[in-house]
Amino acid sequence: LSPGARMGCFTFIKVMMILFNLAIFLGGGALLGVGIWVTVDGKSFLDIFGTLSSSVLQVVNVSYFLIVIGSILLVIGFLGCCGAQKESKCLLMMFFSVVLIIFIAEIAAAVVALVYTGLAETLLTAVVTPLLKEKYGVDSSLTHIWNVTMNEVHCCGLNNYTDFTNSYWYQEHGTYPEPCLVGGLLPLAHPHLCGCLLQGCFDQILEEIKTNAGVVGGVAAGIAALEIAAMAVSMYLYCELDQK
């Protein structure tokens, strides 16, 4: 390429890098703002977005998740935008390093998820089952989270309804939690009516993940492609600046 064409290409990629990372920065700021809003004034958030968001917020503490993701996006957007705009090799290298670390972490998480699903089930069973036996019906927050989960996912306990056998709840009420009952009876009495409730929540959630594996994989592949493209562009700008 001629020097003019090369400079034009550099300028175009630089502008695209600035705009792309500005969008990331603004998106991160929005997520961070919503996360802080939910943390500080969750009631107003629930009043605006309704009961569905209430269920979601009880199952997963969305506010902290949004704060973490928003903060990461803010850092990435700032480094990429300022690095390109100021033509700073230091900021571009920091941007490349942060994205590379996130990319490696995602690959590692995917490998662990694929290879150690059985181990995860064993660890969850060892930790969560005693927790259900001791805290369900005692800790109102944990009880509500599990009730919402069992009703929404149509499951009972982590493994099955026997997770509640000899539990605090069973000793106090002489029966299993309501989400585990069909017409007042355990689903074991009428397996043809609602055999799904015999399933533990871990199996049901795992099955749901497998059902949507194609969508999840597509989204993950898209994010990975964007990360690789961002790293390639930052390296291109870095190398061009090195030659100036």
Side-chain angles (χ1 to χ4, degrees):
L1 289 175
S2 65
R6 190 169 179 174
M7 182 56 68
C9 182
F10 174 83
T11 304
F12 174 77
I13 291 177
K14 173 184 168 180
V15 171
M16 289 297 101
M17 179 84 167
I18 292 170
L19 292 176
F20 178 71
N21 283 284
L22 182 60
I24 290 177
F25 183 83
L26 293 175
L31 289 178
L32 181 63
V34 171
I36 293 172
W37 175 24
V38 175
T39 304
V40 173
D41 191 12
K43 188 178 183 302
S44 297
F45 182 86
L46 297 181
D47 289 342
I48 293 171
F49 290 98
T51 56
L52 176 62
S53 60
S54 176
S55 298
V56 174
L57 283 171
Q58 292 296 336
V59 176
V60 180
N61 201 330
V62 175
S63 59
Y64 296 115
F65 177 76
L66 291 178
I67 289 172
V68 170
I69 297 298
S71 300
I72 292 171
L73 291 178
L74 271 177
V75 171
I76 292 174
F78 174 79
L79 291 174
C81 192
C82 289
Q85 198 275 327
K86 296 180 179 295
E87 298 187 1
S88 168
K89 290 170 62 178
C90 178
L91 290 177
L92 286 171
M93 183 52 70
M94 288 174 66
F95 171 84
F96 177 87
S97 301
V98 171
V99 176
L100 180 61
I101 289 168
I102 293 171
F103 181 74
I104 292 171
E106 288 169 352
I107 297 295
V111 170
V112 169
L114 289 171
V115 175
Y116 295 107
T117 303
L119 179 61
E121 184 175 8
T122 303
L123 289 174
L124 277 173
T125 301
V127 173
V128 176
T129 304
L131 200 64
L132 279 175
K133 288 185 181 295
E134 296 170 13
K135 297 295 183 182
Y136 186 89
V138 178
D139 186 318
S140 59
S141 177
L142 181 139
T143 304
H144 184 73
I145 288 170
W146 270 98
N147 283 339
V148 170
T149 302
M150 291 189 291
N151 281 316
E152 293 294 324
V153 183
H154 302 299
C155 57
C156 178
L158 184 70
N159 301 296
N160 51 46
Y161 71 90
T162 59
D163 288 346
F164 295 102
T165 303
N166 298 324
S167 65
Y168 169 84
W169 178 272
Y170 191 86
Q171 290 172 358
E172 285 291 311
H173 301 275
T175 184
Y176 292 87
E178 188 178 344
C180 297
L181 306 177
V182 180
L185 298 172
L186 272 175
L188 188 61
H190 300 284
H192 61 285
L193 293 180
C194 200
C196 62
L197 291 189
L198 285 171
Q199 297 290 322
C201 292
F202 184 86
D203 288 336
Q204 290 290 84
I205 293 170
L206 196 60
E207 191 61 37
E208 195 69 26
I209 291 171
K210 288 177 180 176
T211 303
N212 298 291
V215 176
V216 173
V219 172
I223 293 172
L226 282 175
E227 289 170 343
I228 291 170
M231 288 188 287
V233 169
S234 65
M235 270 296 97
Y236 167 80
L237 293 176
Y238 182 91
C239 293
E240 284 295 312
L241 290 173
D242 208 26
Q243 293 177 13
K244 278 190 174 184

